[in-house]
Amino acid sequence: MLNSLDFPRVGDKENSPFFEQYLSRVLAERDRSGLTDMIGGIEALMMTVEPGNSIEYVAELSLMTPYHYLVTLDSPRHLTHVLRIDMASPDILLREVKDADYHDIFRSLNDIYPVGARRQHSRYLGEILLAANRHEVVALQEAREFRFFSVGQLAELDLPINVSLSKPSPYTQNVVGYMERPTDGIRVYQHGECVILNEVQAAYERGKEMQARLGIDDLILPIDHLATRVYSQNREAALLEYLALSSYYYWGSYDIKGQNSSTNVTKNVRGVAESVSPAKVFTANNIPYCVNHLDRSPSPTENFVRNYGPRLHHMALAVSDGQRQGMEHIDFVVNAIQTQGKGFLLETVGSREEGLKQIFSEASSFSSLIIEYVQRFGDFHGFFARDNVAFLTYAAGLQEGVGAG
Ligand SMILES: [Fe+2]
């Protein structure tokens, strides 16, 4: 049996006694119930974009990531493009809403936030996790008071029927799905009609040809981590909730005092590489906005949450270690992508001495998601340099440009 408590703790952010007590209890009960053994890694990420935006987003992802276009699932209200690297990394299910007037619960989550509402349908929905026995996992989770969409609701939401999906989290507003897959089998989504769309294929090929021409196609690796921003007061609950729903363990939290923020990391319990099942990171302000008039601290994290709602902020892709044309790979990749009109927030931060180098892209005009690139040097396995995170948090705050909106 896996032991989710058997990991060293890193970080310096202090948690409440409540969190420490319930963390141990949640993980011990999860192990004992069999859920840790039954739930595997991240199989797919789900995201939605506006009508007409998915094709150019496929071109963008094709250039900026190792993903390939596989097929499109054509269903009544969405076109869902399946993007894949291989079976050793999660898929991306990129959903385009067909009708701008379409309403569902995910749109409602955007509608109440001033910047989120500008792209009504565009949001990251959540991850699908591998489950040894999906119905047994859902029954156990329901018995633990987690809520799931019914089969009828999934049909109404126009989502794959072989995936069980939780209701959006009150803390992160993300969903967690479960699906089965035979060992060494391929992932199959039972959803609509499976087609290859010429325009999508062409956009994909355009991105990949440019990636090869720029000489970066062998440098960008799969997703390393997914970072969700939540309200200050929800930090601990968001962590406990994700740990209860997944088979991840709590790695630790770092206090980024200068940005009034913390970075809180969970990782897969089986110790597989992040490329197989990315780390899940939660970021939250230290002090909530409602008392910040007393301290006037920088609050890029909570400002983001107030503008967009709690949601995924960025997905980080690893860059292979090495140098090309006298530059670290990450700088080579960033320079190359910049020639194609894609912007980045300030410059790369970190160094070989610090163990890693990182940068944020500008938010995609199609999905609002930021792409982070991270290059680790030598045998550095952590994913953290405090100064880097402080700088990235600061940089991301500059771009939103919506002040206290
Ligand atoms: Fe990150």
Side-chain angles (χ1 to χ4, degrees), residues 57-71:
Y57 195 40
V58 166
E60 185 172 288
L61 290 173
S62 176
L63 170 69
M64 294 181 72
T65 78
Y67 278 91
H68 301 281
Y69 171 54
L70 191 66
V71 292

Side-chain angles (χ1 to χ4, degrees), residues 225 314 360 372:
H225 64 269
H314 65 265
F360 275 161
E372 174 188 327

